Amino acid sequence: MSQPLSFLQAQWRIAQGRMRTWRVPQGVFIAPEPSVAMGASGSALVPDHGAALLAWRAWAQAHVGERCVVGLSSRWLLHTLVTEPDGQRYTAAQAGEAAAQQWSHYMGLNTADLADQWLLRPSAVPGGWLVAASPRALVDDLLAVAQSQHVQVVWMGPWWAHGLEAWAKRASGGVRTLAMNEPDWAVAAQGNGRTLQGLWAQPSLSADADAAVRVPSALGLQHGPSLVWADEATADIVRGAPAAWGAST
């Protein structure tokens, strides 16, 4: 049986992890296994995250002190595009309210439950607002594990955020579709030039889109696509602005 690390040894291990990842944080993709039933977490919309939390704990224990960015599977998320009435510009709060009303109308979600149990992140994009939401319990549990292992989460959000932002920057004329695929699930975006016109998720996606951003085919916790981005001004959902779901210290 290995002996517990001394205080100085533990501090040195944390410092080593910080130094290794100071310039380039680790990119980590977290997803539920396809076999996990929907609704096990208390919501009819999202699968339970217990198994993924165990995998995340194992990763954190093997990467003590490291800095990382966490890309979450869309199977846990809600996301929608909020368009604004002609001549009107929404605030972030108004965009979040509009998204909550959409989810309430089309998915039967109670707006009070949304406010209490979900973390919303509205991000201004050409054409309106992209609003993503994550279960509060998922984010809290992931950050608690990170804190216990001194892992620093510098950003957490949809795994496809960087791919979507990069795709938008390569805008060309005409209508375009982006397919962002993960195991057994997919998110699609449609745009016209730099204007985002739609965003939706579904269990599977046809292969007729003009671009794709893929994550590893293995299940559970993996090193996913590059989630490290330049410091240039980008959409809040990519940059991790004040509305970010969470960051540990």
Side-chain angles (χ1 to χ4, degrees), residues 80-84 89 123-130 164-165 167-171 176 189-199 233-238:
T80 189
L81 179 67
V82 173
T83 57
E84 299 161 322
R89 184 61 179 166
S123 302
V125 296
W129 290 81
L130 178 59
L164 178 62
E165 189 264 344
W167 174 76
K169 284 188 173 183
R170 297 193 299 270
R176 304 178 303 144
Q190 181 172 305
N192 191 342
R194 289 184 177 272
T195 300
L196 188 62
Q197 295 181 316
L199 183 79
T234 57
D236 289 350
I237 201 167
V238 175

Side-chain angles (χ1 to χ4, degrees), residues 1-224:
M1 181 180 296
S2 61
Q3 296 296 318
L5 295 176
S6 69
F7 174 79
L8 290 179
Q9 287 174 320
Q11 292 300 306
W12 175 239
R13 187 181 178 193
I14 293 169
Q16 285 181 310
R18 285 286 195 276
M19 289 186 290
R20 278 195 307 270
T21 55
W22 187 254
R23 291 182 61 85
V24 181
Q26 293 268 27
V28 182
F29 169 65
I30 306 179
E33 296 183 359
S35 61
V36 175
M38 303 298 279
S41 64
S43 168
L45 292 172
V46 297
D48 182 78
H49 62 269
L53 194 64
L54 292 176
W56 167 240
R57 183 179 299 277
W59 186 93
Q61 289 173 341
H63 296 80
V64 170
E66 293 190 358
R67 304 172 74 246
C68 67
V69 289
V70 175
L72 299 178
S73 164
S74 286
R75 291 185 63 204
W76 282 313
L77 310 180
L78 301 176
H79 24 66
T80 189
L81 179 67
V82 173
T83 57
E84 299 161 322
D86 291 340
Q88 185 175 349
R89 184 61 179 166
Y90 284 163
T91 63
Q94 289 172 326
E97 291 172 1
Q101 290 172 3
Q102 289 185 25
W103 293 325
S104 175
H105 178 75
Y106 292 107
M107 306 173 74
L109 282 171
N110 184 288
T111 52
D113 289 342
L114 274 167
D116 181 58
Q117 300 174 17
W118 293 76
L119 297 173
L120 272 64
R121 179 191 288 176
S123 302
V125 296
W129 290 81
L130 178 59
V131 184
S134 170
R136 189 181 300 272
L138 170 66
V139 173
D140 288 347
D141 287 349
L142 293 175
L143 292 180
V145 168
Q147 184 176 22
S148 72
Q149 301 301 318
H150 304 279
V151 168
Q152 185 178 18
V153 178
V154 297
W155 184 87
M156 183 187 298
W159 72 265
W160 41 261
H162 183 234
L164 178 62
E165 189 264 344
W167 174 76
K169 284 188 173 183
R170 297 193 299 270
S172 57
V175 176
R176 304 178 303 144
T177 302
L178 173 67
M180 300 175 287
N181 303 311
E182 59 181 277
D184 297 328
W185 203 254
V187 175
Q190 181 172 305
N192 191 342
R194 289 184 177 272
T195 300
L196 188 62
Q197 295 181 316
L199 183 79
W200 64 95
Q202 56 193 45
S204 61
L205 193 67
S206 62
D208 58 358
D210 62 10
V213 179
R214 298 186 178 276
V215 298
S217 59
L219 305 177
L221 180 67
Q222 300 290 335
H223 288 275

